Amino acid sequence: MIKTTELQTAAHYAELAYRENIAARKLRGTGFIYAAKYESWASATMFWLEADKNYLIFRGTSDPSDILLDICIFPSYYLGAWVHSGMALAHKSIKKKILKVLRRMDHSKPLVLTGHSMGGSLSELTHLLVQREFPKIDCKCITFGKPRAFMRPLKKRFPKDSMFSVVSSSDLITRLPRYLFNHGCSGQNLFYLASDGTSYINPDMSFVRDDFKLYRGIKDHSIKMYKESLSKIT
């Protein structure tokens, strides 16, 4: 399925993407063969880190202008699917750069896509792009606290065990937008961090609903909290 260390590494990189002042040059010499940073007019930010694997890390919501994209909940047809229009706009703004990176990278290495919040949704849309344009790449997508980006109903979109959504028990953002959209695909694996400190893979959804506590809805969305919760798992 997936190793805990893979989730911990992805969470570390997702948190790294929040440091707005970090430059790619600061990442060189720390075990990476290559490190670069890409940005778009829609404030979408992506890091490409290359070691034994290729990592594309997308920054989540951090700028006030990002909120405008988050609330654009009307559906838009993008990459062959009906998706959240704000997420589609943000992804489209950096799509050319993503494709340029995908063409340049070593396809013999596995590719890991990751991000938190809106960055998780951009990772998910990039996973869809990879499947359409580069189906032979060994690609895995790991997201943290991502909002719902795809319109209902659920559909099989990605290869088995290639999509992992890490969700904290009361993370309100993972339940939004509420009615028109769903969590992405029928084959998605849910790594669930319960309120009692226990972790589950693909738990019963009735348990997930009962475990939700509204008063913790915003606190449980923090990428710092995700990283700390995963670090306690051995």
Side-chain angles (χ1 to χ4, degrees):
M1 177 70 74
I2 192 170
K3 296 179 180 178
T4 303
T5 52
E6 293 181 86
L7 299 177
Q8 292 167 338
T9 299
H12 171 69
Y13 292 152
E15 184 190 39
L16 184 71
Y18 266 99
R19 303 177 194 174
E20 281 298 296
N21 61 343
I22 196 165
R25 59 181 172 78
K26 294 183 180 180
L27 298 171
R28 294 170 192 150
T30 56
F32 296 107
I33 299 170
Y34 185 79
K37 182 179 180 180
Y38 305 85
E39 296 178 286
S40 78
W41 58 265
S43 75
T45 301
M46 177 185 72
F47 289 90
W48 173 20
L49 306 180
E50 182 186 9
D52 58 327
K53 298 177 182 178
N54 282 297
Y55 290 89
L56 293 185
I57 306 109
F58 293 85
R59 178 184 61 78
T61 302
S62 66
D63 189 271
S65 63
D66 297 340
I67 304 297
L68 297 176
L69 296 173
D70 292 341
I71 63 177
C72 291
I73 63 172
F74 298 103
S76 175
Y77 195 71
Y78 182 63
L79 297 177
W82 286 99
V83 302
H84 184 292
S85 59
M87 305 303 175
L89 182 61
H91 192 269
K92 190 173 183 179
S93 73
I94 204 169
K95 180 183 174 184
K96 289 183 179 180
K97 294 178 181 178
I98 296 172
L99 287 170
K100 182 179 180 180
V101 169
L102 290 172
R103 293 188 186 105
R104 285 179 56 193
M105 68 174 48
D106 183 352
H107 290 187
S108 67
K109 295 182 179 181
L111 168 63
V112 178
L113 310 169
T114 191
H116 168 257
S117 193
M118 185 174 75
S121 295
L122 297 183
S123 299
E124 188 174 34
L125 290 175
T126 301
H127 194 14
L128 191 62
L129 178 65
V130 171
Q131 297 309 310
R132 288 167 57 90
E133 302 293 334
F134 304 91
K136 293 184 179 180
I137 293 180
D138 177 11
C139 182
K140 186 177 292 183
C141 184
I142 304 171
T143 66
F144 304 91
K146 73 175 177 65
R148 300 175 178 184
F150 290 89
M151 279 195 71
R152 297 175 184 271
L154 283 173
K155 293 184 179 180
K156 183 177 180 181
R157 304 182 192 278
F158 308 118
K160 184 179 179 181
D161 292 336
S162 69
M163 181 72 208
F164 297 86
S165 177
V166 184
V167 173
S168 180
S169 61
S170 298
D171 188 341
L172 180 63
I173 302 303
T174 63
R175 292 161 169 80
L176 299 174
R178 180 78 183 270
Y179 299 106
L180 282 177
F181 298 87
N182 60 50
H183 55 70
C185 67
S186 59
Q188 172 179 278
N189 289 285
L190 173 63
F191 192 92
Y192 185 72
L193 303 170
S195 58
D196 63 0
T198 308
S199 58
Y200 300 87
I201 296 179
N202 298 324
D204 187 276
M205 293 310 294
S206 61
F207 169 74
V208 173
R209 288 191 293 269
D210 293 341
D211 195 45
F212 178 75
K213 305 293 187 295
L214 183 59
Y215 69 91
R216 292 176 49 186
I218 302 301
K219 179 182 178 182
D220 274 16
H221 184 59
S222 164
I223 183 57
K224 182 178 179 181
M225 185 283 306
Y226 273 97
K227 183 180 177 181
E228 290 176 352
S229 297
L230 287 168
S231 69
K232 297 175 183 177
I233 302 173
T234 56

